Amino acid sequence: MDDSPQLFQFVQSVLIGVIFSFLLAKLISVVVSFREENLSIVRGDSVEKELKPSSSESMPIIDDSENSGVSVVEPLVIERANLDTVIDGGGGGDGDDDADSDDDWEGVESTELDEEFSAATAFVAAVASDRLSQKVSNDVQLQLYGLYKIATEGPCSVPQPSALKMTARAKWQAWQKLGAMPPEEAMVKYIAIVTALYPTWATGSTSKIKGGESSDATSGYNKGPMGPVFSTFVYEEESGNELKMDAIHAFAREGDWENLLKCIESGVPVNSKDSEGRTALHWAVDRGHLNITELLASKNADVNAKDNEGQSPLHYAAVCEREAIAEFLVKQNAEINLKDNDGNAPFDLCDMKWPLLQHPVA
Amino acid sequence: MVDNNSTSNSPAESQTHNPDGNLPSESGVSIDSLARKVQESLSLAKRHKFWETQPVGQFKDLGDTSLPEGPIEPPTPLTEVKQEPYNLPSLYEWITCDMDSEETCNEVYALLTNNYVEDDENMFRFNYSMGFLRWALRPPGFFKNWHIGVRVKSSKKLVAFITGVPARIRVRDTVVYMAEINFLCVHKKLRSKRLAPVMIKEVTRRVHLENMWQAAYTAGVVLPTPISTCQYWHRSLNPKKLIDVGFSRLGARMTMSRTIKLYKLPDSTATPGFRKMESHDVPAATRLLRNYLSQFLVAPDFDENDVEHWLLPRENVVDSYLVESPETHEITDFCSFYTLPSSILGNQNYTTLKAAYSYYNVSTKTPLLQLMNDALIVAKQNDYDVFNALDVMQNESFLKELKFGPGDGKLHYYLYNYRVNHVLRPSELGLVLL
């Protein structure tokens, strides 16, 4: 029969449709039962990565006309499944110091979808004034509006504006006709429309969301939207500081054991001074590097070397409160009575008044 | 939600929406880096759909002196103010936070301590003490229902907070009843839920219900439109700790030893008669402050009750010192600072940074420089790590000389529903918000 291939195709497509619907229903019921049983499935990073909606790939394209009914619904369901399972997918970092139990946050905290939706709305806000308004029909704009209101405020519960206010009324209708659509669904659809209009809008954002998400998340909040500001010192490179120093001082300052050793072994005098009269030992003590101090002492650095102000490494240890280093220097026979140009011994400069700097006689 | 006319002076108005159905960027809580990047790439004028609907000075009006100074919108009849709270997403509910209750105070403290303002690098987070919060939120005439919380219906967990307190603030010759809005905080896990705009709207509504139509607030971001932009300055008291925790940096050519010497302060104060303020000083301190603050274009209008509340010393909250002339016993000078510690995040050796913030200072006989140096000395004696000051009032005259260094924090001051015709220099501003 001529018809039979067609009939066969028809039956086949019906069967596929039935199977698909069944699977879809099953998936929905699974999702719903997850919700009801309050199962939090996922915490690990691995699953988060697997399930993370990648906006540029899996988002439904709404004007993909062929079988739009399926292509819109299917990703949506998957999206919702993601939503429920990735609920704790923040990846750590933020809020860990808060000793909440995770159950408290089930279904409450921000999700990946929230973040993507935020990004989409921000994108729309950004292009609204120029590109969007030209390219996008009024209908689509109203659709975006309705979805936005559902996602952020829920079902429309405000009275209808008067018929004279055309725009207000059209917007009210766009919102109202979506009825009790769940906010998550509205977000997904909103994102879908934006993605359809601007397939590349999220380019580059997905990778950023994955890497270092938590620090991004918090830093965005530091300066807004209102309230006080946490300020720290602006780092100013000292100008007019004519200090001249050699590599050996810099290595000692940075605690760079290897290069310092090389430097000394290559014949640089261990007691060479910078333009302020400081030796490598002064710098090591100043920055609190005990291991470098020990290294320099083992290379016969002068523990009583004086800088241009007459201060020894022990003065530095006393001022900078480096107790372990001071102890070590004293053991290396650093002179505790050495006076600087102002007549101060290390003990005089030590706020902590360590006994180890006091002369036994006193 | 942000795109409707959120002053809602009348319910009908609150239903007008902007045509694009988009989210204005000032929701600020937007958590995604892309969102920020996009927003930052835009000109200021495009970024503030929310604030463009608000009765605040607009960028486009900057420098237009034909507009009258004063309220932008007249008060609405109280009967037309929306009576019910704004809608929250269905999982949440509004609560009023009773700061008298130990339990509530603890909850608010925990929310802020874990979620409030951090520095740019996320190394520090403000850690307002409970004593501080009670002080800041319960001045004379405060309204309990301006202390607004949002909690999760199911778990009852507090997840967001915003407050207002009443204040009389003088703008030029007019004393205006205002709300000072502060402590807006949304839990880190809810940062992209866009709660901040609805919280701002709700506090505005509750302020309106008390027949107040103006507000003062600060922000680290530029919104339409600052009445003044100030800068923080910092004076190291414990430079070694500040360097160790990353609050300040040690230049490659600078030694720790010399840095410590540079910031060393005398052991005791220099001014004869310099002592802590006591309750019998309130009348004299009030006279001194009122007289001094009258020279600034925008400043609080303090009476004795206010001074007693805001400036009488409270341990680890606010400290005030004054100079009582040893001969005449007249009170001639006054200085004060409040205590705002911060949590140090992720440092093995230190957990808390103890900072003093310059508050109100008045000098008539003692040079301001000497007075503030004595303030630094008492702060150092009490183990503060750093002394911070804005360049408001006459502070600029002592900052550099007393070895304050500039901070990376800019603080913008705003008035809601009150137009000021020119942007104030910090030195014209006599107001410190906590």
Side-chain angles (χ1 to χ4, degrees):
Chain A
M1 288 221 269
D2 300 335
D3 288 350
S4 67
Q6 282 166 8
L7 183 67
F8 178 72
Q9 273 182 1
F10 176 70
V11 170
Q12 190 185 36
S13 62
V14 165
L15 269 177
I16 289 172
V18 167
I19 291 169
F20 184 76
S21 322
F22 174 78
L23 288 174
L24 198 62
K26 189 79 187 161
L27 186 50
I28 290 172
S29 74
V30 166
V31 167
V32 168
S33 70
F34 277 171
R35 275 208 160 163
E36 283 168 359
E37 292 165 29
N38 224 11
L39 281 177
S40 171
I41 309 174
V42 179
R43 287 227 58 200
D45 281 354
S46 56
V47 189
E48 176 201 344
K49 272 173 198 138
E50 279 167 37
L51 290 181
K52 185 175 304 251
S54 159
S55 52
S56 46
E57 288 157 28
S58 68
M59 280 298 123
I61 307 290
I62 209 156
D63 56 0
D64 180 7
S65 51
E66 289 273 311
N67 40 10
S68 61
V70 173
S71 75
V72 169
V73 172
E74 183 189 22
L76 183 77
V77 171
I78 292 168
E79 206 61 51
R80 306 240 358 231
N82 288 354
L83 182 70
D84 287 354
T85 49
V86 190
I87 223 144
D88 212 320
D94 55 336
D96 283 356
D97 38 355
D98 200 353
D100 295 318
S101 85
D102 291 325
D103 295 349
D104 288 354
W105 295 104
E106 189 70 31
V108 170
E109 68 174 293
S110 300
T111 59
E112 308 274 329
L113 180 59
D114 279 317
E115 287 165 21
E116 189 166 7
F117 176 69
S118 270
T121 56
F123 176 80
V124 170
V127 296
S129 45
D130 36 284
R131 285 189 282 154
L132 190 67
S133 44
Q134 291 155 26
K135 180 173 170 179
V136 179
S137 73
N138 224 7
D139 280 355
V140 176
Q141 288 193 35
L142 283 171
Q143 214 178 337
L144 281 175
Y145 173 82
L147 291 167
Y148 177 79
K149 296 298 271 186
I150 291 284
T152 57
E153 292 185 47
C156 176
S157 62
V158 301
Q160 188 171 16
S162 90
L164 295 173
K165 295 180 175 171
M166 298 274 290
T167 322
R169 200 176 166 97
K171 287 200 286 186
W172 181 86
Q173 279 163 346
W175 183 11
Q176 202 263 343
K177 76 175 182 199
L178 296 176
M181 178 188 279
E184 293 81 8
E185 187 181 334
M187 290 189 206
V188 170
K189 288 189 167 161
Y190 186 101
I191 294 166
I193 293 176
V194 175
T195 306
L197 293 168
Y198 300 98
T200 57
W201 75 270
T203 308
S205 75
T206 6
S207 60
K208 246 176 219 156
I209 291 173
K210 282 178 184 169
E213 170 187 358
S214 50
S215 68
D216 274 3
T218 47
S219 66
Y221 190 74
N222 293 340
K223 285 198 169 174
M226 58 168 61
V229 166
F230 193 102
S231 169
T232 60
F233 273 107
V234 170
Y235 178 61
E236 291 171 313
E237 200 60 60
E238 320 95 281
S239 53
N241 187 336
E242 298 299 313
L243 178 71
K244 289 197 175 56
M245 58 195 302
D246 298 323
I248 187 173
H249 304 114
F251 293 141
R253 182 190 66 206
E254 299 307 323
D256 187 342
W257 170 284
E258 244 170 68
N259 280 314
L260 181 65
L261 191 60
K262 270 187 215 160
C263 204
I264 296 167
E265 282 170 352
S266 74
V268 176
V270 71
N271 289 322
S272 65
K273 295 189 165 191
D274 69 15
S275 61
E276 300 275 351
R278 290 182 284 248
T279 63
L281 188 60
H282 282 98
W283 279 104
V285 173
D286 188 80
R287 293 304 203 265
H289 304 306
L290 178 58
N291 61 337
I292 302 294
T293 306
E294 289 166 347
L295 171 66
L296 288 164
S298 75
K299 297 291 172 190
N300 299 318
D302 179 4
V303 291
N304 291 318
K306 284 184 158 196
D307 70 6
N308 292 355
E309 291 170 356
Q311 296 201 331
S312 69
L314 194 57
H315 282 97
Y316 278 55
V319 170
C320 303
E321 296 174 8
R322 315 278 189 208
E323 190 166 14
I325 291 178
E327 217 167 308
F328 173 79
L329 289 171
V330 171
K331 276 190 199 136
Q332 297 294 310
N333 298 319
E335 176 55 64
I336 59 171
N337 285 329
L338 200 73
K339 299 258 200 311
D340 67 13
N341 296 353
D342 296 328
N344 291 316
F347 183 78
D348 303 323
L349 301 176
C350 177
D351 285 345
M352 313 289 277
K353 299 298 169 201
W354 298 321
L356 71 99
L357 296 178
Q358 275 179 299
H359 206 276
V361 180
Chain B
M1 70 177 71
V2 202
D3 54 341
N4 60 14
N5 185 338
S6 50
T7 46
S8 297
N9 291 332
S10 74
E13 261 184 28
S14 75
Q15 308 313 333
T16 40
H17 309 295
N18 87 42
D20 299 315
N22 49 39
L23 177 72
S25 57
E26 80 297 326
S27 62
V29 290
S30 156
I31 174 168
D32 190 290
S33 59
L34 171 76
R36 282 203 319 283
K37 218 172 82 186
V38 170
Q39 289 160 20
E40 279 160 12
S41 68
L42 294 167
S43 68
L44 285 174
K46 282 184 193 166
R47 289 172 52 187
H48 298 288
K49 289 217 153 37
F50 175 67
W51 292 105
E52 282 166 17
T53 67
Q54 300 293 304
V56 293
Q58 300 296 331
F59 291 134
K60 64 181 170 53
D61 299 334
L62 268 178
D64 182 351
T65 48
S66 66
L67 295 164
E69 287 211 342
I72 295 168
E73 287 179 357
T76 312
L78 282 182
T79 50
E80 287 178 24
V81 177
K82 183 173 154 70
Q83 298 295 311
E84 325 74 46
Y86 283 90
N87 282 343
L88 280 171
S90 59
L91 294 167
Y92 312 101
E93 61 189 7
W94 297 110
I95 52 165
T96 290
C97 293
D98 178 1
M99 297 302 287
D100 285 329
S101 145
E102 198 65 25
E103 196 190 338
T104 305
C105 198
N106 264 310
E107 279 183 87
V108 169
Y109 171 76
L111 175 72
L112 294 175
T113 297
N114 292 314
N115 299 282
Y116 203 34
V117 176
E118 299 179 4
D119 66 308
D120 286 339
E121 273 94 42
N122 308 103
M123 297 163 73
F124 308 96
R125 191 187 307 124
F126 283 136
N127 185 2
Y128 287 87
S129 66
M130 282 200 266
F132 192 110
L133 293 172
R134 286 214 167 101
W135 171 66
L137 296 178
R138 296 157 75 249
F142 78 97
F143 300 97
K144 203 179 273 182
N145 80 338
W146 290 8
H147 305 158
I148 305 170
V150 171
R151 67 180 177 190
V152 179
K153 276 181 191 163
S154 55
S155 66
K156 304 295 176 206
K157 188 178 174 56
L158 184 70
V159 294
F161 190 60
I162 192 168
T163 67
V165 292
R168 291 186 316 283
I169 294 176
R170 183 183 48 75
V171 183
R172 292 188 212 277
D173 299 327
T174 315
V175 175
V176 186
Y177 285 80
M178 296 198 191
E180 293 178 352
I181 306 299
N182 206 347
F183 300 110
L184 169 57
C185 178
V186 177
H187 196 287
K188 285 186 175 213
K189 295 198 177 192
L190 302 178
R191 286 290 160 80
S192 54
K193 293 282 194 187
R194 297 162 299 280
L195 284 173
V198 78
M199 300 194 69
I200 294 169
K201 281 160 42 173
E202 180 62 13
V203 76
T204 306
R205 189 186 70 85
R206 295 194 193 187
V207 169
H208 286 168
L209 284 174
E210 300 298 339
N211 200 20
M212 279 193 228
W213 307 91
Q214 273 74 35
Y217 51 99
T218 59
V221 290
V222 178
L223 310 166
T225 301
I227 59 159
S228 186
T229 293
C230 305
Q231 187 179 17
Y232 268 112
W233 289 68
H234 311 284
R235 206 294 184 181
S236 299
L237 301 174
N238 188 352
K240 184 175 175 228
K241 176 173 170 183
L242 295 180
I243 289 165
D244 285 351
V245 302
F247 188 91
S248 53
R249 282 168 62 181
L250 189 54
R253 296 168 175 278
M254 190 65 176
T255 59
M256 181 75 87
S257 166
R258 188 167 286 181
T259 306
I260 291 170
K261 273 179 248 168
L262 177 68
Y263 291 116
K264 208 150 204 117
L265 285 160
D267 290 332
S268 53
T269 56
T271 312
F274 185 90
R275 64 166 173 84
K276 216 171 181 124
M277 178 191 182
E278 294 166 26
S279 53
H280 63 84
D281 297 316
V282 167
T286 307
R287 279 194 300 276
L288 213 53
L289 273 158
R290 286 190 67 86
N291 189 41
Y292 178 73
L293 291 175
S294 67
Q295 66 185 294
F296 303 107
L297 295 185
V298 174
D301 181 63
F302 281 147
D303 64 19
E304 289 186 8
N305 287 333
D306 300 315
V307 170
E308 182 174 353
H309 177 83
W310 290 120
L311 292 160
L312 202 58
R314 296 172 188 232
E315 203 178 347
N316 285 319
V317 173
V318 61
D319 279 281
S320 298
Y321 291 84
L322 39 73
V323 180
E324 177 182 340
S325 158
E327 297 88 37
T328 64
H329 297 285
E330 195 193 345
I331 307 298
T332 56
D333 311 276
F334 180 90
C335 63
S336 58
F337 55 86
Y338 60 87
T339 301
L340 171 45
S342 288
S343 306
I344 300 170
L345 310 175
N347 185 288
Q348 293 181 333
N349 301 321
Y350 300 101
T351 56
T352 304
L353 184 76
K354 191 174 175 188
Y357 283 75
S358 171
Y359 201 27
Y360 292 98
N361 312 303
V362 183
S363 103
T364 65
K365 293 273 171 8
T366 310
L368 186 59
L369 197 76
Q370 180 183 329
L371 188 69
M372 292 312 294
N373 202 47
D374 281 348
L376 294 176
I377 291 166
V378 294
K380 173 68 187 171
Q381 285 169 352
N382 289 289
D383 287 323
Y384 289 83
D385 298 313
V386 63
F387 195 105
N388 300 332
L390 288 163
D391 52 359
V392 294
M393 296 182 266
Q394 296 175 322
N395 291 357
E396 199 150 24
S397 67
F398 63 76
L399 292 171
K400 281 187 180 149
E401 202 148 344
L402 292 180
K403 298 172 185 164
F404 284 73
D408 57 9
K410 287 254 192 299
L411 189 67
H412 309 280
Y413 279 74
Y414 300 91
L415 296 180
Y416 183 88
N417 196 18
Y418 204 93
R419 185 184 292 111
V420 178
N421 263 342
H422 76 277
V423 178
L424 273 59
R425 289 191 301 272
S427 60
E428 293 175 311
L429 188 64
L431 178 65
V432 177
L433 298 180
L434 304 172

